[in-house]
Amino acid sequence: MAKSAPQFACTACGNVTSKWSGRCDACGAWNTIHEERPLSSSGPAAKSLGKARGRAVALSDLGIDEPPPPRTSSGLSELDRVLGGGLVPGSAVLVGGDPGIGKSTLLLQAAAAFAGAGLKVIYASGEEASAQVRMRAQRLGLRDAQVQLAAETNLRDILTTLDAEKPELVIIDSIQTMWADNVDSAPGSVSQVRAAAHELTTFAKRRGCSVILVGHVTKEGQIAGPRVVEHMVDTVLYFEGERGHQFRILRAVKNRFGPADEIGVFEMTGAGLSQVGNPSALFLSERGTPAPGSAVFAGIEGTRPVLCEFQALVAPTPHSQPRRSVVGWDGGRLAMILAVLEARCGIPFTGLDVYLNVAGGMRITEPAADLAVAAALLSAREDSALPPETVVFGEISLSGALRPVAQAENRLKEAQKLGFTRAIVPAGGSARDTSGLTLTEMGDLASVVGSIFGAG
């Protein structure tokens, strides 16, 4: 049997090549490429697989009719929603977020909740001593929680302890502090993070033990380390929020056992994180009398309708280059909306600074918010408030036409539940059950400009 070719990986960026070189072609770093020996297809390792392991099996022989493994509910409905209905045995979950956003607080509360549901839980911290974790648990009112604590960074010691204790849930806080002694690099480096994540994920699959990994994020908001870590795990959750707001959003960006883009909403209090059952009412709680530049958007996050407020400010600029500042939305899409308003509706924003904000620290990604952004910009520019108790949603094309969006009926039902009486929506939508709501259907953006603001 031919010997398998060696692989070389960069310890700075994780790029894999078939030959060694002094400089990495991907990131440009020098002297960072080292050999990684792949699993050989022959020899003792291959012989130990036996006839059953590593052999192709017909899909019909895998017991498709058998029920899926039971999920464990934590009792925290917002966390269970994001996980897809509960924790799946043998799953690997990665939780990322900014420093100080509340990841450790959330997972300590989750550990206590899962322990209360009957799971054997070990919380391994590489950043805090056991006494510090106990102090935080006492502050959160979790002093009597049946959770075992461990303060260790050596991955070999942690896996040895897990083999002996046989827990059903392990929380690693954080993956960047773990150190594998068989990898010749510093803790927190790309090689160490990848090796530790691989070992822990393999342990979860082999023993049927769920593993939750905490991951730090970079300045760009991505999980620190290579993206391959996100591919290793089953579920990737981001814990988001603005430091100036008490709201925290747990967002699923990948989930093999449930819907992606699902969100759970929490509120940071002095006693920890509390669940928010009706996030729409919370995000609109600080909204007073309708003012120019304000538009309420009826959005969908995963399977949940959420209402939030877009706030816009348009002012003359004292500089030669007008500013375009966006918080909570895509800056490139704002530039597109401004271009459509000028090209298709004859409303220029030249010489005007434009500021756009999503109230409450929400982050909106769906294109259905286009019409709400355009309405907020027009309201601010014309200094004219939208009609009271009005929600807006719709996608804007480059031709200026309005496109219908998915789940329009669920959006309108949520708006009606919160007391809204009017909706501005694209024509031709699928919403039919609109009792109690006055629908204003528009075919293009020019119709919105003319009928509501009398401009253009």
Side-chain angles (χ1 to χ4, degrees):
M1 298 293 290
K3 184 179 179 180
S4 59
Q7 289 184 347
F8 299 86
C10 175
T11 59
C13 68
N15 183 52
V16 178
T17 60
S18 59
K19 61 181 181 179
W20 182 89
S21 62
R23 183 174 183 268
C24 177
D25 294 333
C27 65
W30 287 90
N31 300 323
T32 58
I33 297 181
H34 300 279
E35 181 179 355
E36 287 189 350
R37 298 186 180 273
L39 180 65
S40 176
S41 59
S42 61
K47 294 178 181 178
S48 65
L49 291 177
K51 296 182 178 180
R53 298 184 61 186
R55 178 173 56 86
V57 180
L59 183 63
S60 58
D61 298 336
L62 296 180
I64 299 178
D65 295 334
E66 297 179 3
R71 297 174 182 262
T72 302
S73 175
S74 66
L76 301 175
S77 57
E78 295 297 303
L79 177 60
D80 293 338
R81 171 192 290 270
V82 178
L83 290 174
L87 191 64
V88 177
S91 61
V93 181
L94 179 63
V95 180
D98 294 330
I101 203 68
K103 301 185 297 296
S104 299
T105 299
L106 171 67
L107 291 181
L108 187 58
Q109 291 183 234
F114 281 116
L119 295 185
K120 184 176 182 180
V121 182
I122 292 181
Y123 186 102
S125 175
E127 301 180 346
E128 299 176 284
S130 299
Q132 294 175 312
V133 178
R134 282 196 297 269
M135 288 174 58
R136 178 151 41 90
Q138 186 174 2
R139 177 174 58 85
L140 299 175
L142 306 174
R143 183 176 181 179
D144 297 329
Q146 299 300 314
V147 178
Q148 299 184 43
L149 302 179
E152 183 57 65
T153 59
N154 190 307
L155 185 61
R156 188 182 299 274
D157 293 343
I158 290 177
L159 292 176
T160 301
T161 302
L162 298 182
D163 275 329
E165 295 291 338
K166 296 180 174 56
E168 296 166 289
L169 172 61
V170 179
I171 297 176
I172 305 295
D173 187 8
S174 67
I175 189 63
Q176 277 81 14
T177 61
M178 295 297 108
W179 172 67
D181 53 16
N182 62 331
V183 178
D184 189 16
S185 59
S189 63
V190 172
S191 299
Q192 286 283 0
V193 170
R194 182 171 55 183
H198 173 71
E199 292 291 342
L200 290 167
T201 303
T202 303
F203 175 84
K205 304 301 180 184
R206 186 176 69 249
R207 294 302 178 90
C209 166
S210 301
V211 175
I212 300 179
L213 310 176
V214 178
H216 297 306
V217 299
T218 62
K219 293 181 180 179
E220 292 77 21
Q222 304 295 332
I223 299 290
R227 296 301 294 268
V228 70
V229 175
E230 298 188 19
H231 297 305
M232 289 180 185
V233 299
D234 301 309
T235 304
V236 180
L237 310 178
Y238 278 87
F239 203 40
E240 306 170 352
E242 300 290 337
R243 289 185 178 274
H245 295 90
Q246 70 271 30
F247 312 132
R248 300 289 186 269
I249 298 172
L250 185 64
R251 186 186 303 272
V253 297
K254 171 189 174 182
N255 195 349
R256 291 174 179 162
F257 310 116
D261 294 326
E262 190 69 81
I263 68 167
V265 184
F266 298 86
E267 183 178 6
M268 180 63 77
T269 65
L273 291 164
S274 61
Q275 301 182 84
V276 177
N278 189 348
S280 298
L282 186 65
F283 289 129
L284 298 178
S285 61
E286 299 177 357
R287 181 172 177 263
T289 305
S294 172
V296 177
F297 166 60
I300 294 289
E301 294 289 343
T303 60
R304 157 187 279 172
V306 177
L307 270 62
C308 61
E309 181 185 10
F310 275 92
Q311 300 171 343
L313 176 63
V314 177
T317 179
H319 309 290
S320 59
Q321 186 70 24
R323 295 193 60 183
R324 303 288 186 260
S325 180
V326 187
V327 177
W329 205 52
D330 183 18
R333 204 154 185 92
L334 172 63
M336 185 200 78
I337 299 298
L338 294 175
V340 172
L341 284 170
E342 182 167 357
R344 306 302 181 190
C345 304
I347 300 180
F349 284 81
T350 306
L352 297 173
D353 286 335
V354 176
Y355 302 89
L356 185 70
N357 175 51
V358 182
M362 272 287 290
R363 192 173 301 276
I364 303 298
T365 57
E366 60 171 333
D370 289 350
L371 187 56
V373 171
L377 293 172
L378 290 168
S379 174
R381 188 184 186 278
E382 301 299 323
D383 196 26
S384 174
L386 285 170
E389 308 305 331
T390 301
V391 295
V392 187
F393 60 86
E395 182 180 354
I396 299 176
S397 66
L398 293 180
S399 65
L402 299 183
R403 296 175 177 173
V405 298
Q407 303 188 46
E409 191 168 334
N410 291 338
R411 301 172 195 260
L412 295 175
K413 286 182 178 179
E414 181 72 10
Q416 184 180 1
K417 188 195 312 181
L418 294 175
F420 288 86
T421 58
R422 185 177 180 184
I424 302 174
V425 299
S430 58
R432 293 293 177 264
D433 185 13
T434 58
S435 57
L437 274 176
T438 302
L439 290 187
T440 303
E441 297 187 350
M442 299 291 182
D444 53 26
L445 189 56
S447 302
V448 178
V449 174
S451 63
I452 298 179
F453 299 100

